[in-house]
Amino acid sequence: MTQEAITELAAIRAEALRGPSERATEAQHAKGKLTARERIGLLLDPGSFKEVEQLRRHRATGFGLEAKKPYTDGVITGWGTVEGRTVFVYAHDFRIFGGALGEAHATKIHKIMDMAISAGAPLVSLNDGAGARIQEGVSALAGYGGIFQRNTRASGVIPQISVMLGPCAGGAAYSPALTDFVFMVRETSQMFITGPDVVKAVTGEEITQNGLGGADVHAETSGVAHFAYDDEETCIAEVRYLIGMLPSNNRENPPTVESDDPADRRGDILHDLVPADGNRPYDMHKVIEELVDDGDYLEIHERWARNIICAMARLDGQVVGIVASQPLALAGVLDIHSSEKAARFVQTCDAFNIPLVTLVDVPGFLPGVDQEHGGIIRHGAKLLYAYCNATVPRISLILRKAYGGAYIVMDSQSIGADLTYAWPTNEIAVMGAEGAANVIFRRQIADAVDPEAMRSHMVKEYKAELMHPYYAAERGLVDDVIDPAETREVLIASLAMLRRKHADLPSRKHGNQPT
């Protein structure tokens, strides 16, 4: 091989690494955005990135494309490591064709997705593209179809994480929606099917890109984004943290770490954190902090459907998924959004062998015309279906209230929880004592000389008969009533026993879950 050929290769590779121009790079930085290679450098361990098809160029002609054939064709693909574990990645390069997807661009993504599935390793997409490359017409649209098909095939097989670092419009928004987790950056990333101009033309409404599909909108209102951050560096650092909580694929367990937090650490503070009065609110985050290793957890969908908490944490170094009622928001009731949020999280944990711990303090489902007409029945059934279908270890803990259908849905023993514990403050019943007394004893109350005194008496009688803390335990619906201070120790010991749990679902193509 001649030195001339080596020199030529080095020059070509340098051109591919450099990108289109310094001016394009400066324009990217001026928007507060990093380049694709800078983002990959933050995501992966230093020096670990191995690029695939760096020298790929498009073959399209017309509309001036034949005169512009940059290397990489606007997307950088390859693999590297995150804390030593293999991770595949593709990153749109907005400096080239605005990151728009063409035939060659799509083929590169298809290849790296196929490699990730075959290798059984997580796939991270760093999205900063303007959608389909208009000059390539239907070929570009077909490229998106191939991505969607692979997203679906990889679902529940390898973790798929979408990081939104720029605009994502039209059909391109559906790939992130098919993945397990969506990260967004405020001000610089947006997602929408039809942009502000189309919205204005069709409906007359005027709205900005961020107002229509910015990070805060999707983190708080639509629920499309699981995480939203102020800058790319923080966002990508959190992606690395999440990957550290997930297994490489559905055939492996999540990574374990050595924990310095004693498994038998008592939580006496829990006696005071949770008021005995079921009508007094408290912050369930503080309970979670007290239970998990070093008080450290990663909340999923933190700002959407706040009446339920979904989080990943570790107990004695083992990853667990936590689903918890949040009495500070809507008293912790279940509604349409919280049911959807928790159902998706339960499915994700089950797919990737993450045990589930459910902390229950739920007064029921949210009543109202909007909820009924919005389909609370089918949306609530999503959470019920997800729990019933889950085969990972499942432990539920009833802190205070567990009323009606919401008690059943929140991983009760009757729908398959492996172990159910309760604190001495628990109240498990069809409904609250006041409501129950009004129904059961309405005639006695109405006929009484002092209806209020009679109502108060009947409420106390109902509580004494059917709502005392040991009623469910006496009937085998709760495995044990425990001291709150011993909760961490009990959970860790129970999870250790269940670690080798194996359960097979009936043979079927797939279930027909509520939509």
Side-chain angles (χ1 to χ4, degrees):
M1 185 177 293
T2 66
Q3 185 59 41
E4 205 172 281
I6 298 296
T7 302
E8 182 184 20
L9 172 61
I12 291 173
R13 197 172 299 284
E15 182 183 344
L17 289 170
R18 185 172 57 250
S21 68
E22 283 299 320
R23 184 178 177 183
T25 300
E26 290 170 3
Q28 183 81 347
H29 288 163
K31 297 173 185 174
K33 297 161 65 176
L34 301 174
T35 66
R37 294 191 186 278
E38 289 169 340
R39 291 163 175 166
I40 291 173
L42 288 175
L43 174 68
L44 301 177
D45 297 335
S48 68
F49 182 55
K50 301 293 184 291
E51 191 168 351
V52 175
E53 294 193 353
Q54 182 186 74
L55 306 183
R56 185 70 178 260
R57 298 200 287 187
H58 71 76
R59 299 174 293 180
T61 59
F63 306 102
L65 284 178
E66 63 276 6
K68 190 176 182 182
K69 295 188 174 184
Y71 293 113
T72 74
D73 198 47
V75 65
I76 299 167
T77 59
W79 77 90
T81 60
V82 172
E83 296 180 358
R85 299 166 60 217
T86 299
V87 172
F88 287 80
V89 61
Y90 68 85
H92 298 128
D93 191 340
F94 194 82
R95 301 172 302 165
I96 297 174
F97 300 125
L101 182 138
E103 183 180 19
H105 183 120
T107 302
K108 288 181 66 175
I109 295 175
H110 296 168
K111 180 171 183 174
I112 210 67
M113 295 180 80
D114 289 340
M115 291 175 69
I117 295 169
S118 296
L123 174 70
V124 178
S125 62
L126 303 175
N127 298 273
D128 187 6
R133 196 173 299 170
I134 299 171
Q135 300 94 321
E136 294 194 32
V138 71
S139 296
L141 293 177
Y144 273 123
I147 293 173
F148 302 157
Q149 193 267 344
R150 287 166 174 82
N151 284 138
T152 304
R153 198 170 78 224
S155 181
V157 178
I158 58 171
Q160 299 180 84
I161 300 172
S162 297
V163 189
M164 314 311 296
L165 302 166
C168 183
Y174 283 117
S175 177
L178 289 168
T179 60
D180 300 305
F181 300 98
V182 176
F183 288 72
M184 294 188 74
V185 176
R186 294 185 181 90
E187 301 303 322
T188 58
S189 65
Q190 302 89 28
M191 295 174 68
F192 36 70
I193 300 301
T194 55
D197 292 341
V198 177
V199 170
K200 182 179 180 181
V202 174
T203 69
E205 298 171 285
E206 291 192 20
I207 193 167
T208 64
Q209 287 195 348
N210 281 318
L212 182 63
D216 289 327
V217 168
H218 287 311
E220 297 178 14
T221 305
S222 72
V224 170
H226 299 78
F227 306 95
Y229 299 99
D230 290 331
D231 57 81
E232 295 190 15
E233 291 84 356
T234 304
C235 180
I236 294 173
E238 290 298 298
V239 174
R240 284 178 58 91
Y241 181 70
L242 174 61
I243 291 171
M245 305 282 279
L246 298 170
S248 293
N249 56 66
N250 64 338
R251 301 183 303 278
E252 299 180 8
N253 290 322
T256 60
V257 299
E258 290 294 325
S259 175
D260 295 327
D261 195 347
D264 60 353
R265 170 173 57 79
R266 285 181 59 85
D268 292 300
I269 193 174
L270 293 170
H271 293 152
D272 300 319
L273 274 180
V274 180
D277 181 357
N279 293 319
R280 287 181 58 195
Y282 62 93
D283 189 353
M284 186 67 81
H285 289 109
K286 294 181 179 179
V287 176
I288 295 171
E289 288 172 11
E290 182 61 27
L291 295 178
V292 303
D293 291 356
D294 304 311
D296 188 29
Y297 62 93
L298 177 65
E299 187 168 354
I300 315 296
H301 270 143
E302 178 181 0
R303 296 162 61 197
W304 181 60
R306 293 173 184 254
N307 42 324
I308 202 159
I309 298 169
C310 298
M312 289 184 182
R314 282 189 166 90
L315 284 169
D316 198 29
Q318 304 286 333
V319 177
V320 296
I322 297 173
V323 179
S325 309
Q326 174 54 299
L328 278 186
L330 296 175
V333 297
L334 286 174
D335 61 0
I336 288 172
H337 287 159
S338 62
S339 298
E340 286 187 330
K341 170 179 168 178
R344 175 72 170 180
F345 181 71
V346 168
Q347 288 178 174
T348 301
C349 290
D350 187 49
F352 294 116
N353 307 314
I354 299 173
L356 288 160
V357 174
T358 304
L359 306 179
V360 184
D361 190 349
V362 61
F365 281 93
L366 181 64
V369 175
D370 289 345
Q371 288 290 307
E372 296 294 345
H373 288 184
I376 185 61
I377 294 172
R378 59 186 174 86
H379 290 291
K382 291 178 183 178
L383 180 54
L384 182 60
Y385 186 99
Y387 269 126
C388 289
N389 203 46
T391 59
V392 293
R394 291 157 49 191
I395 299 174
S396 64
L397 170 68
I398 300 162
L399 283 68
R400 293 194 310 186
K401 301 181 297 297
Y403 293 162
Y407 153 67
I408 301 171
V409 169
M410 287 290 282
D411 206 18
S412 62
Q413 190 177 106
S414 60
I415 66 169
D418 296 295
L419 289 167
T420 303
Y421 297 108
W423 285 358
T425 47
N426 83 83
E427 293 182 353
I428 305 173
V430 175
M431 62 176 66
E434 289 78 8
N438 287 336
V439 172
I440 299 171
F441 307 114
R442 62 183 181 276
R443 189 166 297 172
Q444 293 96 314
I445 293 171
D447 293 342
V449 175
D450 187 345
E452 286 304 316
M454 177 62 72
R455 180 181 289 107
S456 178
H457 172 73
M458 291 305 182
V459 166
K460 290 179 181 178
E461 183 176 318
Y462 183 84
K463 281 186 175 182
E465 286 291 321
L466 296 177
M467 290 181 65
H468 63 79
Y470 306 100
Y471 184 84
E474 290 170 359
R475 284 151 184 80
L477 296 174
V478 166
D479 292 294
D480 200 6
V481 178
I482 63 174
D483 179 347
E486 298 174 355
T487 301
R488 173 177 164 84
E489 182 179 3
V490 169
L491 290 177
I492 288 173
S494 300
L495 288 167
M497 179 276 293
L498 291 167
R499 196 160 295 147
R500 297 187 184 279
K501 174 188 173 182
H502 177 76
D504 289 318
L505 294 173
S507 178
R508 58 183 174 182
K509 189 173 182 180
H510 56 74
N512 190 17
Q513 64 189 68
T515 58

